Amino acid sequence: MVDPAPFLLTLKLALVSTVILFLISLPIAYALAYSSFRLKPVIEAVVSLPLILPPSVLGFYLLLAFSPERSFGGFLDRVFDLRLVFTFSGLVISSVIYSLPFMVQPFQSGFRMIPRGLIDASYTLGKTRLQTLIHVLLPNMRASLITGSILAFAHTIGEFGVVLMIGGSIPEETRVVSIALYDEVQAMHYGTANIYAAILLAFSFVVLVTVYTINQRFTNNLFRP
Amino acid sequence: MIEVDIQKRLHAGAARIALQLRFQINDGELLALFGPSGSGKTSLMRMIAGLLTPDMGSIVVDGDAWFDSGANVNRPPQQRDIGVVFQDYALFPNMTVRGNILFGLKPDQPSGSVEEVIDLMELTPMANVKPELLSGGQKQRVALARAMVRRPKLLLLDEPTSALDAALRVKIHQYIKSIHKRDATATLLITHDIVEVARLADRVVVIEEGRMKAQGKPREVLPFDDLRTLLHEM
């Protein structure tokens, strides 16, 4: 029997994570695109780590960090009464970390694609950096903004290893679709597992087709001189 | 009056030049900076606009320093009262023609100035169109309109017609003339086109490899006989 709750939970997790990621990724991508400082390669590497790190490694360290037995988790528990292990909030924080490069990298290349001349023109017209960001940069990198958001959203939906490590499988709290699928396979309910898997597969395919369609439409003839 | 006195070492590809220039732009004057490509003209324009920092020297406008290496003054472009027309137009692709010009307006200016400028530059039929649909000459008119709508202290024109064919060039020259007549804004025209200098400039500074070679009225400084032949041909 397919339970809709994991789907709703997964969508909620992906939505909340994407909104938070958007707000965090913009300043990070802006700083990485337009400034050069000595530690920049280190920051870039940290942001990109989730791309190559096995999710279980990330999950393991987050589990250590969030554990109420340890200093950081204990601090959160004592001072804010906040538990991040086996809770939805913990999943959101780990999703944000896990999907960060999927948002930051498209944003960063979006910033870089904008001709320097447009920024110069805006400055000579008396506009501040913030005004230039809002009126010139963001509207001209819509494709990157949409791509990054969709990729981060989709990546969060496909999250498994991290959730398994720090979320467990608590119904309506941390039991997302990928975990539900895993549980069904463990219980040898292959029919139900197949439905979960097919829905995830179809969703992922539609997301990627959408991303490539947007890219084709937006980048074709935007910056012809 | 705008007094420019700057030094800057430039690395343009393999070539290195030491830019060292001192000149002034009088009120209401259209001064041409004439020289071959690679002589440092565009870098000079960027330094006056605040987009590039000189190594040494000063840029003083009506007694007010925009840049002074001695006094550690270096105002950002936003705080220099300028209008710039870039070589590649640099129009904002996300805004219409009217939107681009409106973006150039200073906060205290009435929005009616935008319609006035659209009218003057004959942009009314395309006011609601995005730049990607415009021809080169139309884009250049929008760029001019956007720079002049602010009524800046100094208008900087960087090779405003280099990307256009001869017939369009004449048309843009007429627009520049009518703007200059209307506003009498001090204007620095950067060009390697001798005909442009002859048509538009009150005075010309000739630069070569970053140094001033000559200055004066165009007919005094430039080979006028050649010029007359050229003008005749146009």
Side-chain angles (χ1 to χ4, degrees), chain B residues 27-219:
Chain B
D27 291 340
E29 181 181 45
L30 198 153
L31 177 73
L33 200 70
F34 175 76
S37 350
S39 54
K41 303 189 300 290
T42 294
S43 301
L44 178 80
M45 187 281 285
R46 293 179 65 79
M47 285 189 270
I48 296 175
L51 298 168
L52 184 70
T53 307
D55 295 337
M56 261 177 72
S58 63
I59 299 165
V60 180
V61 179
D62 293 337
D64 186 16
W66 285 2
F67 175 80
D68 188 343
S69 59
N72 229 349
V73 175
N74 186 13
R75 287 211 210 162
Q78 290 91 337
Q79 290 170 27
R80 304 185 182 200
D81 190 1
I82 47 174
V84 184
V85 174
F86 293 88
Q87 216 165 340
D88 60 357
Y89 321 123
L91 300 179
F92 305 117
N94 57 312
M95 303 177 197
T96 60
V97 166
R98 180 179 280 110
N100 265 277
I101 300 170
L102 196 64
F103 197 67
L105 214 60
K106 293 176 183 170
D108 56 350
Q109 280 179 299
S111 57
S113 336
V114 172
E115 297 311 317
E116 226 173 88
V117 171
I118 287 178
D119 196 39
L120 178 75
M121 301 301 280
E122 300 179 275
L123 291 166
T124 313
M126 60 214 88
N128 296 318
V129 164
K130 296 263 174 83
E132 61 174 321
L133 297 172
L134 302 180
S135 69
Q138 291 169 335
K139 284 182 189 171
Q140 193 56 287
R141 272 147 61 194
V142 180
L144 272 167
R146 187 179 67 182
M148 62 167 287
V149 74
R150 355 187 347 96
R151 300 272 185 141
K153 267 210 169 114
L154 175 64
L155 196 57
L156 296 161
L157 312 176
D158 187 11
E159 305 274 9
T161 62
S162 63
L164 305 176
D165 63 38
L168 270 177
R169 220 171 273 184
V170 176
K171 197 96 177 88
I172 293 292
H173 289 161
Q174 284 163 358
Y175 283 113
I176 294 175
K177 266 194 172 159
S178 57
I179 293 168
H180 193 67
K181 206 165 155 189
R182 190 189 84 151
D183 296 350
T185 305
T187 305
L188 183 66
L189 168 70
I190 284 165
T191 183
H192 64 268
D193 179 358
I194 195 167
V195 180
E196 198 156 273
V197 176
R199 281 230 185 83
L200 298 174
D202 299 316
R203 207 156 55 85
V204 58
V205 167
V206 181
I207 70 168
E208 223 167 78
E209 292 187 345
R211 306 284 171 122
M212 184 190 295
K213 236 186 94 194
Q215 65 165 322
K217 291 199 181 303
R219 62 173 59 209

Side-chain angles (χ1 to χ4, degrees), chain A residues 115-129 131-132 135-136 139-140 142 221-225, chain B residues 46 49 51 77-78 80 82-84 86 88-95 100 103-105 132 139 146-147 150:
Chain A
R116 181 73 222 178
L118 292 188
I119 301 169
D120 288 346
S122 178
Y123 289 173
T124 62
L125 295 171
K127 303 297 184 242
T128 61
R129 278 170 178 232
Q131 287 169 321
T132 305
H135 298 289
V136 177
N140 288 310
R142 269 173 306 181
N221 47 18
L222 193 56
F223 294 125
R224 269 185 324 202
Chain B
R46 293 179 65 79
L51 298 168
Q78 290 91 337
R80 304 185 182 200
I82 47 174
V84 184
F86 293 88
D88 60 357
Y89 321 123
L91 300 179
F92 305 117
N94 57 312
M95 303 177 197
N100 265 277
F103 197 67
L105 214 60
E132 61 174 321
K139 284 182 189 171
R146 187 179 67 182
R150 355 187 347 96

